[in-house]
Amino acid sequence: GAVVSQHPSWVICKSGTSVKIECRSLDFQATTMFWYRQFPKQSLMLMATSNEGSKATYEQGVEKDKFLINHASLTLSTLTVTSAHPEDSSFYICSAREGRERTDTQYFGPGTRLTVL
Amino acid sequence: DAKTTQPNSMESNEEEPVHLPCNHSTISGTDYIHWYRQLPSQGPEYVIHGLTSNVNNRMASLAIAEDRKSSTLILHRATLRDAAVYYCILRDSGTYKYIFGTGTRLKVLA
């Protein structure tokens, strides 16, 4: 099956710093990538939809200036958490969709655990 | 966005079949039904998906009600490795977005 990677797998940073998380589709070209966050014992919450070469579409309540998303190529999307605060500590997961067929599915990365001190 | 409803948790004995139900009464005619599972501290893993007809693959079977308002994921012989949170998701046909519900935590007893 299709493989999606994320880097780093975990990161610890100080409050006020920015953190970049990469999401790569390794064996297919992803026309669309999605970013989710997941708090402990909770379900995944969609943050934004990212199409290659265009601006990301953010879900209601997600601050676009705080969570910067770039989808510069068909295999790479990045999420930058700017001026991170402890409440941004979470498990961030990306997914990618190839987009060649209406029936195709999303493939998820392994996730990045962010801890803000 | 159409929503799904699943039981919070279920238990099964190893080597026995498991039927995981999902209600999606507000499904639209073009929404696909997707199932994923998630192990702790991992990303969700694709299990199966369908639109109207029942579907089978090497991992599971998906039975879809005739009115499409519910579906059932069937694991034919549960193993300890099947213990996970199983999510039933409706994929928006226009945006391709997934809206995750609370999922069902499956516990498999040895």
Side-chain angles (χ1 to χ4, degrees), chain A residues 17-61:
Chain A
T17 60
S18 294
V19 174
K20 180 184 284 189
I21 302 170
E22 292 186 348
C23 175
R24 293 181 186 272
S25 56
L26 298 185
D27 51 2
F28 67 100
Q29 293 187 321
T31 55
T32 308
M33 288 183 168
F34 302 85
W35 286 95
Y36 300 81
R37 65 189 296 183
Q38 184 176 33
F39 292 108
K41 305 288 186 188
Q42 294 187 24
S43 185
L44 282 75
M45 185 192 79
L46 179 66
M47 298 174 68
T49 303
S50 166
N51 290 298
E52 186 264 340
S54 57
K55 287 185 179 180
T57 302
Y58 291 81
E59 294 298 303
Q60 192 171 10

Side-chain angles (χ1 to χ4, degrees), chain A residues 68-102:
Chain A
L68 301 178
I69 293 171
N70 184 283
H71 191 164
S73 79
L74 283 172
T75 59
L76 173 64
S77 176
T78 59
L79 167 69
T80 301
V81 183
T82 62
S83 186
H85 291 284
E87 56 265 31
D88 298 323
S89 298
S90 188
F91 193 49
Y92 292 86
I93 307 170
C94 72
S95 70
R97 173 180 167 265
E98 189 170 17
R100 287 194 298 172
E101 301 177 9
R102 289 184 59 246

Side-chain angles (χ1 to χ4, degrees), chain B residues 51-99:
Chain B
L51 182 62
T52 56
S53 306
N54 294 344
V55 184
N56 299 295
N57 65 22
R58 64 176 179 79
M59 288 181 72
S61 294
L62 176 60
I64 301 172
E66 199 169 329
D67 63 5
R68 298 202 340 117
K69 293 184 185 298
S70 66
S71 61
T72 302
L73 178 71
I74 303 165
L75 305 179
H76 296 286
R77 288 179 63 193
T79 69
L80 296 178
R81 297 191 336 182
D82 292 323
V85 178
Y86 286 79
Y87 293 101
C88 165
I89 303 161
L90 300 183
R91 191 197 73 176
D92 185 282
S93 59
T95 64
Y96 302 101
K97 293 194 304 187
Y98 288 172
I99 303 301

